[in-house]
Amino acid sequence: MQTSDAYHPGGVAPVLRAMRIGAHLLFVLLLAVGVGRVIASQGLHGWWIVVLAGAELGWYVCGVFFVERGRGGGKADKASGRAWLAILVLGWLVLVASNPDFVWVSFALFFLCFHLLSIPRALGATAALTAVSIGASLWHGVSNTMASILGPVIGAAVAAGMAMVYEQLVREARERQVLVDELTEAHRELLGAQDELVALQRESGALAERSRLARDIHDTLAQGFSSILLLARAGLRGTETGPIFTQIADTAQQNLVEARRVVAALAPADLESAPLESALRRLLDQLSDQTGITGELVTDGAQAALSMDYDVALLRVAQSALANVRLHSQARRVRLTLSYAADEVRLDIVDDGVGFDQREAGGFGLRAMRDRLAELGGTLVVESAPGDGTAVAATLPVGRPA
């Protein structure tokens, strides 16, 4: 039997599903009306007509079941659909020949003709079914001849119009679905291309950075080590080692400077030309310029020189915390306090925003800050409550190993 997207619940609009279900109910209702009139007029003597009507209903239900399960829509499905319709019409002819009360079942058959046949064949089949309905009514001697003629004709015209509208809606739904599928596939391909481009850019940047570092190391450290090696070998062969040791020391000093320059190239840009305090103040100035949030930086205690790892960790924590202030806090003021003590350095970020429920806090930003500090033996403490602002305290140990 032919399958159609019209029978696929996910492939059509709700109005199409409603029309399909209505067509099924119409067939069952008209058949039931005919059976009821037979029982009312003939009683038990018409039992065989009731059996024929039950067989007709069973055949219809079997066909609908296979339509719902089928999805192919190929030539075999179309051929089986036409065969199923032919047997269904044959059963209806037997019923009509037995009793004129089944004439109106032809109204439901009109919909099936337009669904399973081409438009020209469906129109021909509709005309033939209409003629049979009129002939059967007249043959059984129906009293109202005009109603027997006009009823099937009007019913055929209405059914043909509704069926053609239904098929047009189905075709439009199929075309829209094809367009949606094409757009979805194009979007998927675009995302894939973007991912490939990002990966290529990342790889290209990594290769460029490796090449730059390789050139710097080759031109500075490698050449300096070669000079130290040559001077050391010359000293082993000679007797006067004083000048050679002086040259070795000078070369090693120069290489140390170059090594620090290469390492500094890997540090954050904010720390390249300014200490941590200046970098934090620039973050606050940028926040104020972009959002209007007033920022204040306070330094407490005697300033101590921190390692680059400590500066980077505290700067990253400040950047992440201020990003949360910018995006979520709705604050008007934020204060950064950098405190130096004998055994620790501490950075406090406090805002007067809306705060949050810490039981629901589990974002990546807080986890990243905790992990970064934990690598250096530090801790992160967050205090907040709805409507009460937020305080973030980042602490790193000083004077003991991480």
Side-chain angles (χ1 to χ4, degrees):
M1 184 174 181
Q2 181 193 13
T3 60
S4 171
D5 288 343
Y7 286 94
H8 195 303
V12 296
V15 63
L16 299 182
R17 292 196 295 269
M19 294 179 67
R20 172 173 57 87
I21 295 174
H24 296 330
L25 294 178
L26 178 64
F27 182 89
V28 175
L29 178 62
L30 294 176
L31 195 64
V33 170
V35 170
R37 292 176 64 89
V38 168
I39 295 176
S41 61
Q42 300 184 23
L44 297 178
H45 296 289
W47 64 268
W48 61 277
I49 299 179
V50 176
V51 172
L52 286 176
E56 180 80 349
L57 178 61
W59 181 250
Y60 182 86
V61 171
C62 290
V64 172
F65 175 77
F66 286 110
V67 164
E68 295 289 351
R69 296 191 61 182
R71 292 292 182 264
K75 293 183 178 180
D77 295 314
K78 295 179 181 179
S80 61
R82 289 192 291 267
W84 172 81
L85 178 62
I87 297 175
L88 191 70
V89 171
L90 181 61
W92 172 76
L93 291 175
V94 175
L95 288 174
V96 169
S98 303
N99 192 288
D101 294 323
F102 293 98
V103 166
W104 299 108
V105 178
S106 62
F107 190 81
L109 296 178
F110 296 153
F111 288 99
L112 295 175
C113 290
F114 280 94
H115 178 63
L116 296 172
L117 303 176
S118 62
I119 296 297
R121 292 183 179 181
L123 291 174
T126 300
L129 292 175
T130 303
V132 170
S133 299
I134 296 173
S137 298
L138 298 177
W139 181 63
H140 284 286
V142 177
S143 58
N144 193 338
T145 304
M146 185 62 65
S148 300
I149 296 175
L150 293 180
V153 172
I154 295 175
V158 173
M162 294 180 61
M164 294 180 69
V165 170
Y166 176 81
E167 290 301 317
Q168 179 63 29
L169 291 175
V170 170
R171 284 194 294 269
E172 292 178 357
R174 289 174 180 169
E175 294 173 357
R176 285 195 298 269
Q177 187 62 41
V178 171
L179 179 60
V180 169
D181 294 339
E182 291 176 352
L183 291 176
T184 302
E185 182 62 25
H187 183 257
R188 187 181 299 109
E189 293 177 356
L190 178 60
L191 291 179
Q194 289 178 343
D195 292 340
E196 293 178 359
L197 179 60
V198 170
L200 290 174
Q201 290 176 340
R202 185 184 299 113
E203 183 179 356
S204 176
L207 291 176
E209 182 64 14
R210 290 171 186 165
S211 178
R212 185 186 68 81
L213 290 176
R215 289 194 302 268
D216 287 347
I217 293 173
H218 175 268
D219 295 338
T220 57
L221 302 182
Q223 297 296 337
F225 286 137
S226 298
S227 299
I228 292 173
L229 181 60
L230 293 176
L231 291 171
R233 288 177 177 174
L236 291 175
R237 292 194 299 267
T239 57
E240 296 182 1
T241 58
I244 293 178
F245 283 143
T246 301
Q247 295 176 6
I248 290 176
D250 293 340
T251 305
Q253 179 64 35
Q254 294 173 2
N255 275 285
L256 180 59
V257 173
E258 293 296 337
R260 287 174 175 171
R261 188 187 65 80
V262 173
V263 171
L266 301 177
D270 290 332
L271 297 175
E272 183 175 351
S273 59
L276 177 61
E277 292 83 356
S278 299
L280 294 176
R281 187 168 285 105
R282 281 202 301 270
L283 289 179
L284 290 175
D285 292 340
Q286 185 180 21
L287 178 68
S288 178
D289 293 339
Q290 295 178 357
T291 66
I293 299 174
T294 302
E296 180 183 5
L297 176 63
V298 177
T299 303
D300 185 22
Q303 298 184 12
L306 302 177
S307 67
M308 180 61 68
D309 291 340
Y310 276 36
D311 285 346
V312 171
L314 293 176
L315 179 64
R316 295 306 188 208
V317 168
Q319 288 174 327
S320 182
L322 292 178
N324 290 334
V325 172
R326 177 197 303 264
L327 296 176
H328 309 297
S329 71
Q330 303 178 22
R332 292 176 299 177
R333 298 181 61 86
V334 61
R335 178 173 179 173
L336 271 63
T337 304
L338 185 60
S339 304
Y340 295 94
D343 58 347
E344 68 179 18
V345 59
R346 174 169 170 167
L347 177 64
D348 295 289
I349 303 101
V350 181
D351 67 69
D352 60 353
V354 297
F356 61 92
D357 189 345
Q358 296 191 66
R359 294 173 297 179
E360 301 177 358
F364 176 78
L366 291 177
R367 292 199 304 270
M369 285 190 282
R370 285 194 174 95
D371 293 343
R372 182 182 296 277
L373 294 173
E375 292 177 356
L376 301 175
T379 58
L380 181 76
V381 177
V382 180
E383 296 180 358
S384 184
D388 197 27
T390 302
V392 177
T395 305
L396 288 173
V398 176
R400 64 177 187 270

